[in-house]
Structures are given as structure tokens and as C-alpha cells.
Amino acid sequence: MEENQDTILEAKATLKHARISARKVKIVADLIRGKDVQRALAIVKFTPKAASEIVEKLLKSAIANAENNHNMNSNNLYVSEIYANQGPTLKRIRPAAKGSAVRIRKRTSHITIVLKEKE
């Protein structure tokens, strides 16, 4: 086995228990996956979705982590991974017709962004 692998630096930012459905976040995540950071910020800023504000803040956090913790250059960064997994669901009850009750599921999500440097 050869030891020829270079250690590739990556910066990560994670948001847990975001009060938005993972399904809604995945729409915005698909738009910026694989894009360089400046372009991704521009796309997220002008996307009229509820999740875009959350993803923009998380992307800025990942950029700050890359610059401060890993000494990476922000001009060479790109979004290598972004994914939104389902978090715990808050269950609430709402009164319905004829004395019955309906369950309301308030979904949460865990969002992760991984940035890497271009070579």
C-alpha cells in the first residue's frame, strides 16, 4: 500500500435542529453543490426560498471556519458536499371536527456544508 495520498484540507459547518423540513433545504442545496464559494453565495442570496437564508448563514460560517481554523484561501474554495438530513420531529395536536384530534408534525433538519480548496 502506497503512502502517496495528500491530505486534502476541508472545512465543515453544521447546523442541527433547524426548524425547517429537510425536503425544503435540499432544493437550495442542489443549486450550490459543486459551485465555487462566491458563486454559491450569489445564488443563495437571490433564491426566493425559506431555506436560502439559513443556508447562506451556514455557508458564511463554513468560509470563516476555513479561513480561521485551516488557513485556507477563500478565493480557492468550493462547495464539495452539502446535505440536509432529517432531524427529530416535534409532534403537536390540533383539534379537528367531531371532537377528534389531528397530529401536526413540525419537522427539523440537520444541515452540513463541507468546503475544499481547488488545486
Side-chain angles (χ1 to χ4, degrees):
M1 201 159 89
E2 293 181 26
E3 296 294 325
N4 200 5
Q5 284 186 336
D6 294 319
T7 56
I8 299 171
L9 284 177
E10 61 180 32
K12 188 183 281 191
T14 305
L15 173 64
K16 297 206 173 219
H17 305 289
R19 257 298 286 128
I20 189 167
S21 168
R23 185 176 175 183
K24 294 177 182 177
V25 177
K26 286 177 185 180
I27 295 169
V28 177
D30 290 341
L31 293 174
I32 65 170
R33 187 176 291 116
K35 305 270 194 307
D36 61 288
V37 168
Q38 301 304 324
R39 186 176 167 101
L41 275 173
I43 290 171
V44 168
K45 191 171 183 71
F46 296 107
T47 302
K49 292 283 183 187
S52 63
E53 191 174 324
I54 297 166
V55 172
E56 180 183 7
K57 190 170 181 179
L58 190 62
L59 183 57
K60 287 179 180 176
S61 176
I63 294 167
N65 289 344
E67 290 174 340
N68 297 320
N69 300 344
H70 302 293
N71 297 323
M72 300 164 91
N73 186 2
S74 64
N75 296 329
N76 298 335
L77 293 175
Y78 72 98
V79 181
S80 67
E81 295 176 41
I82 178 169
Y83 48 90
N85 297 326
Q86 187 173 340
T89 302
L90 305 172
K91 295 176 178 82
R92 302 292 179 257
I93 294 175
R94 178 171 190 257
K98 298 182 182 176
S100 63
V102 174
R103 223 194 220 154
I104 295 176
R105 291 181 299 279
K106 299 192 173 194
R107 301 188 187 273
T108 62
S109 59
H110 302 317
I111 310 165
T112 304
I113 296 180
V114 178
L115 302 179
K116 291 185 182 175
E117 270 189 319
K118 289 182 212 163
E119 297 179 12

